[in-house]
Amino acid sequence: FRFLQRRVSAYPSPLPPELETNLAEANYQFLGLYLPESESGRDRQSWFFTNGQADQFLQIKVRYGDQGRASLRMEQNALESLEKADLALLSPRVVSYHEAGHTTFLAIHTPVVEHETRKPFDSKELCAVVKALQQLGKPGQAISHGDLTPWNAWMTPLGPVVIDWEGLSERSAVAYDALYYLVSCQYAGITAPQIADVTQAFGKQGIAEAAEEMLTMAPKGYQKTLTALLSAAQGTHGAL
């Protein structure tokens, strides 16, 4: 497992004693520690362990402060809701949740998928996942993963995998996640689903509502990519 060295000063947080005990009793072996390289990752780290099961590993997500605690509580609630809903996608499963001072720990079982078997969603797969997520909400309530990107969601021989559920929330536009996925692919230079296909699935009005929300909430780089994407779609395909 590759250890990623970050550029900002950081030291691994000690795990809570009860969590250490649980790991030892279940014969988990340490795989590696992920420390995000960017300044924006200063409030987080992830520990990875294995007990020999080929299809999953144990990830312990660590966050600091009130905002980090709120994020992990949100992910815990989201993953528990996913498990109850039994959607047709692979996502982490909650093992345990711990708080120690200003530090919060969320232990989850994460599916193991070989990198070479992953591929970005095509238009049909993307729309199916986004529509499936709506089962988590109440009637008339749009639900969004919040960060649906090709590095958080991809297709495998076992089906769609979606991770990092800290941003699950209500949205005004059902198509927000679909459009966000397209834009993140374009931004990263990854082959993206066709916006014309996504527009057909959610309607011109649905895409327009998602675009309006993205232009006020998404990172600036994504906003520029979105504007270019919509302009090209309008000029080439008349998609919007």
Side-chain angles (χ1 to χ4, degrees):
F1 195 88
R2 190 162 62 100
F3 179 88
L4 299 182
Q5 183 68 43
R6 60 191 290 174
R7 301 189 185 107
V8 295
S9 299
Y11 299 92
S13 295
L15 299 179
E18 64 270 28
L19 190 49
E20 292 271 19
T21 299
N22 293 342
L23 290 170
E25 290 178 348
N27 295 317
Y28 275 103
Q29 303 296 317
F30 179 67
L31 277 177
L33 175 66
Y34 173 64
L35 300 171
E37 295 180 335
S38 66
E39 250 338 279
S40 62
R42 180 173 293 182
D43 67 338
R44 65 196 62 201
Q45 57 186 249
S46 288
W47 298 62
F48 295 89
F49 298 82
T50 181
N51 64 352
Q53 296 188 44
D55 62 340
Q56 66 181 14
F57 53 75
L58 182 74
Q59 178 182 2
I60 300 177
K61 304 183 81 169
V62 185
R63 299 289 184 271
Y64 306 107
D66 293 339
Q67 185 174 352
R69 178 159 296 171
S71 293
L72 288 191
R73 281 178 174 169
M74 186 178 297
E75 180 157 23
Q76 178 191 19
N77 292 334
L79 293 177
E80 290 174 348
S81 296
L82 281 166
E83 189 168 1
K84 291 178 182 177
D86 195 26
L87 303 184
L89 54 84
L90 299 173
S91 290
R93 298 296 177 96
V94 174
V95 176
S96 61
Y97 174 90
H98 306 266
E99 295 179 0
H102 295 290
T103 308
T104 306
F105 304 83
L106 179 65
I108 56 178
H109 277 144
T110 298
V112 172
V113 180
E114 295 298 331
H115 185 76
E116 57 268 20
T117 68
R118 303 179 185 182
K119 68 179 185 68
F121 292 145
D122 61 24
S123 303
K124 182 178 179 180
E125 294 161 349
L126 173 62
C127 294
V129 167
V130 172
K131 290 180 177 180
L133 292 184
Q134 305 315 307
Q135 298 178 42
L136 300 177
K138 299 175 182 178
Q141 178 188 82
I143 294 294
S144 167
H145 173 277
D147 193 21
L148 200 71
T149 62
W151 43 93
N152 285 338
W154 56 84
M155 182 56 66
T156 76
L158 299 177
V161 173
V162 183
I163 63 172
D164 284 349
W165 291 86
E166 295 179 25
L168 187 72
S169 62
E170 298 177 17
R171 297 274 182 186
S172 60
V174 174
Y176 182 91
D177 278 347
L179 192 59
Y180 195 91
Y181 193 89
L182 263 66
V183 170
S184 64
C185 285
Q186 292 276 355
Y187 185 80
I190 298 172
T191 301
Q194 295 297 310
I195 190 170
D197 296 335
V198 176
T199 301
Q200 184 176 9
F202 293 99
K204 292 183 179 180
Q205 183 61 32
I207 295 298
E209 292 173 354
E212 182 178 359
E213 192 165 3
M214 275 197 69
L215 287 172
T216 61
M217 300 184 66
K220 289 185 178 180
Y222 277 23
Q223 292 177 19
K224 292 180 180 179
T225 302
L226 171 62
T227 300
L229 177 65
L230 296 179
S231 178
Q234 179 67 42
T236 305
H237 305 292
L240 296 177

